[in-house]
Every structure is written in C-alpha cells, then in structure tokens.
C-alpha cells in the first residue's frame, strides 16, 4: 500500500509540512510507505506550501499590518511568484496580537508585490487569506505608486480610517503590470460593500465594534466613489464583484489591477500538480484544523477528495463537527479528529498536535496494512 499525505495547515498550530511530517512518521512506524505533499488554499501558509513543493524562497522586507518593518519571503518558480497577505500584513504581524481594525494597512502586501516584480514574473499569485486590515487595498496600491488625497489635496496614509477621507486617487505614477497574469487565490465570495461586504462580515473578526463596522463600510463606499471620480468608471461594478471583499478589500484592489479571482483550493491543487502525483497511490490522507458542514462547500479537503476519486480519502482534523452520515457526501471514507484523543485544546499546543498526529498516522497505517 502507498499513501499520499496531502494536508493543509492546522491554523495556529502546525504548518502543512509539519502536519504531513507527523502523519508520515506515524505511517512509517506502522510499516506503510507514504509520500508527503503539503498543500494550501490561498490562506496563510500558501508561501510555505509552495516552497515545500519545490518553489524557491525569496526574501522580502515589508511593513507589517501596523507599519512595523519585518522580514518575510515569497515563493518563486519559473515565471510564477506566490505572495501572501498573512505573512506580510496579516494577523500574525500585529504587535502583541493587538487588533487595529481602523488603522491596519495592506501596505506590506503591496511592498512584497513590488519586490516580486523585480523578478519579472509572468504570473503573480496573490494568496489573500488571513488579512488584518479593512482598507480596500489602499495600502497595496500605495506601495505600487498610487496616491490618495483628501478634498484639500493632502496625501493620506493608506488605512481603513483614511478611506473615509479619500477624495481623489492618482495612479499616473503607478507601476504598470502589463504582461503579468494576476491570479487572486481566494475562496471568499463577498462583495466589497453592504451587509455581505468586507466590513460587515469580516470586520468583527478583526476587532471592529458595530460602530466601527458601520464606519468602515461607509469609508469603503467613499473610496469606491473616489475611484469612480478618478478615472475608474467601473469601480462600483468591480466593488460588487464576488470576491472583491476578500482580505478586507484587497480583492477589490487586485481586480482594479486586472486580476482574476479563482478558487484558492482548486488553483493550488493545479499549481502543485496534484493530479499528476496521484496515480499509484492507494489512499490519500488530507486534512486541516477544522472540518465542519462548510468543508464540502469548496474547502481544500473536499475539493481534493473530489479530484482524487476513486482513490479513497481519509481526513484528519484538529476538530471535526461533521457527522459520520455526512462523510461520504463530503468525499471522505473516514475522519480522525484530534479532539477524540484528548480533552485538551490542541489549537494552541503544537507539541500535543504533533504527538496526536503521529498516533493517528500510526492508527491509519495499521488499518491500511490490515486491509491490504
């Protein structure tokens, strides 16, 4: 029996590569051969997964969500560069984890893109999960040379708070992205504005109060109108596009740059050539931190399970609330949850997570060997 171990990260605990390593170690202890293929879906860990898949790591220096300089990296292979929000200006870059719902900026993402462009890529992949800001992509665009001014002509710092003050947008000195295919990898389908928009749906997760959510939604609406006055007549239509609200509106900015939104899960499976690797394996083990009723709606484990058919797929999760009678519909022959092996919370305990993944890998391995 040969097993392909292809998990996503366990958010807040282990990277996809670490999850794969622990499961593979458990399988090996049961005498089962496996191949590791860490995956991503466009969220945090996308760059790490690309590097694990053979992309080269390229160092960048960027501003975190609060403006503090930090070192990061992007992933490069051939003419493709992967840049992610999470490690450039996401939650992890906030000082002491303190939320800044009005003042966090996407500047760092734009700076990473600017440095990526020095490599003359043909394809730029933007992984948008894990953002800390709701600035409509102002920061990203500012790093590429776009300026934002208030009604008196004073240039504004790029952040959600100042989106309310933008009157004009000047892109005359912006970097040109002609010839670069911009891929927006995100499974978020929210528009930028309104009750289903970036502020209303994701603002509270970023620390915004009800009053701040209302302020940010109005601020983003003002920003879109400013674009409309400044040479972007389709700005409101772009704002209404599915996915424009991803990453606090970075999706909106990327669409204005000519990007195309794709399913993060589907795209990364293609990028890492999952279908090419699959033949010859008798079982696939996938997983992520949490599996629930939403997993079947385009989440990586379910997308992988669909593409793997007829090869059976077993999922491993930190926590699973998907009832056994729903496993088959989601594409899984079985689900192993770390929560079934301990009463402790594994989400913030990497060492316990490693131990349990090894144990589960061994258990799967023994079951696999017994059925061979």
């Amino acid at each position: 029996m040969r097993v392909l171990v292809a998990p996503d990260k366990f958010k807040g605990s282990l990277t996809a590569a670490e999850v794969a390593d622990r499961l593979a170690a458990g399988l090996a202890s049961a005498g089962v051969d496996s191949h590791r293929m860490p995956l991503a879906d466009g969220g945090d860990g996308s760059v790490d997964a690309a590097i694990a898949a053979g992309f080269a790591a390229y160092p960048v220096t960027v501003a975190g969500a609060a403006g503090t300089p930090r070192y990061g990296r992007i992933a490069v292979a051939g003419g493709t560069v992967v840049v992610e929000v999470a490690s450039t200006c996401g939650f992890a870059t906030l000082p002491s984890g303190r939320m800044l719902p009005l003042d966090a900026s996407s500047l760092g993402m734009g700076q990473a893109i600017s440095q990526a462009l020095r490599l003359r890529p043909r394809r730029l992949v933007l992984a948008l999960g894990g953002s800390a800001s709701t600035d409509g992509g102002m920061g990203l665009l500012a790093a590429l040379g776009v300026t934002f001014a208030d009604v008196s002509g004073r240039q504004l710092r790029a952040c959600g708070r100042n989106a309310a003050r933008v009157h004009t947008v000047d892109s005359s000195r912006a970097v040109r992205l002609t010839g670069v295919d911009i891929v927006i990898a995100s499974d978020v389908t929210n528009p930028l504005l309104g009750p289903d928009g970036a502020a209303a749906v994701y603002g509270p997760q970023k620390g915004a109060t009800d009053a701040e959510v209302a302020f940010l939604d109005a601020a983003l609406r003002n920003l879109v109108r400013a674009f409309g006055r400044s040479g972007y007549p389709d700005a409101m239509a772009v704002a209404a596009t599915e996915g424009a609200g991803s990453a606090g509106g970075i999706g909106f900015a990327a669409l204005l740059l000519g990007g195309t939104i794709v399913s993060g899960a589907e795209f990364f499976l293609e990028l890492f050539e999952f279908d090419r690797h699959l033949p010859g394996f008798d079982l696939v083990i996938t997983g992520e931190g949490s599996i629930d009723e939403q997993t079947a709606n385009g989440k990586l484990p379910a997308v992988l399970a669909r593409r793997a058919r007829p090869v059976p797929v077993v999922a491993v999760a930190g926590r699973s609330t998907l009832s056994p009678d729903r496993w088959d519909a989601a594409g899984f022959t079985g689900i192993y949850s770390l929560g079934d092996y301990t009463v402790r919370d594994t989400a913030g305990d990497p060492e316990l997570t490693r131990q349990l993944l090894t144990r589960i890998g061994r258990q799967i391995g023994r079951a696999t060997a017994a059925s061979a």
Side-chain angles (χ1 to χ4, degrees):
M1 293 284 287
R2 296 189 67 231
V3 179
L4 177 62
V5 183
D8 197 352
K9 65 191 174 299
F10 276 34
K11 191 172 183 177
S13 184
L14 299 181
T15 66
E18 290 171 328
V19 174
D21 286 346
R22 290 299 86 213
L23 288 169
L27 289 165
S29 70
V32 175
D33 181 39
S34 66
H35 174 78
R36 284 160 287 180
M37 186 180 186
L39 295 175
D41 63 358
D44 50 322
S46 294
V47 165
D48 286 342
I51 292 168
F55 281 57
Y58 184 87
V60 294
T61 303
V62 300
T68 306
R70 60 180 283 109
Y71 296 108
R73 58 184 186 172
I74 57 180
V76 184
T80 297
V81 178
V82 180
V83 183
E84 70 175 39
V85 170
S87 62
T88 55
C89 56
F91 286 115
T93 73
L94 289 166
S96 303
R98 184 168 63 92
M99 301 293 191
L100 297 170
L102 300 182
D103 296 307
S105 173
S106 60
L107 180 67
M109 180 67 165
Q111 291 172 332
I113 291 171
S114 180
Q115 292 168 68
L117 292 175
R118 298 174 187 171
L119 304 175
R120 300 185 181 279
R122 295 187 300 275
R123 180 169 60 172
L124 186 62
V125 181
L126 309 183
L128 298 193
S131 83
S133 62
T134 309
D135 69 351
M138 284 178 66
L140 182 154
L141 295 172
L144 298 178
V146 177
T147 58
F148 302 88
D150 63 16
V151 69
S152 65
R154 287 177 297 189
Q155 191 167 328
L156 298 168
R157 174 181 176 269
C159 63
R161 186 186 302 275
N162 285 339
R165 300 172 56 200
V166 177
H167 183 70
T168 55
V169 181
D170 183 359
S171 57
S172 62
R173 298 179 182 84
V175 173
R176 301 302 172 191
L177 296 173
T178 305
V180 180
D181 179 20
I182 302 172
V183 177
I184 307 167
S186 173
D187 290 316
V188 169
T189 58
N190 304 77
L192 181 65
L193 307 173
D196 297 319
V201 176
Y202 300 105
Q205 299 174 15
K206 301 174 184 182
T209 63
D210 289 347
E212 288 170 334
V213 165
F215 172 86
L216 286 167
D217 188 60
L220 293 175
R221 190 172 299 277
N222 176 71
L223 178 66
V224 174
R225 288 171 176 159
F227 272 104
R229 287 192 296 270
S230 305
Y232 294 85
D234 297 329
M236 193 59 73
V238 172
T241 302
E242 287 191 357
S246 59
I250 292 178
F252 168 70
L255 286 166
L256 290 179
L257 292 173
T260 302
I261 294 179
V262 301
S263 160
E266 293 280 8
F267 177 81
F268 277 94
L269 286 172
E270 289 286 347
L271 185 66
F272 299 157
E273 299 183 317
F274 173 78
D275 293 348
R276 184 176 68 82
H277 284 85
L278 182 64
F281 288 101
D282 305 291
L283 175 71
V284 179
I285 302 176
T286 189
E288 61 181 1
S290 178
I291 290 178
D292 54 29
E293 287 292 337
Q294 296 303 310
T295 297
N297 298 327
K299 295 290 187 70
L300 178 66
V303 172
L304 177 150
R306 185 179 67 249
R307 297 180 67 143
R309 289 173 182 158
V311 178
V313 176
V314 170
V316 179
R319 172 178 174 272
S320 176
T321 58
L322 190 66
S323 62
D325 62 357
R326 296 282 297 145
W327 290 358
D328 185 63
F332 309 127
T333 58
I335 295 178
Y336 292 78
S337 171
L338 272 59
D340 293 336
Y341 295 78
T342 180
V343 296
R344 293 160 59 186
D345 181 10
T346 61
D349 192 335
E351 183 53 38
L352 178 59
T353 301
R354 291 187 187 95
Q355 293 173 11
L356 293 178
L357 286 172
T358 304
R359 179 179 171 183
I360 290 171
R362 185 181 303 113
Q363 185 174 344
I364 295 173
R366 287 172 177 169
T368 301
S371 65

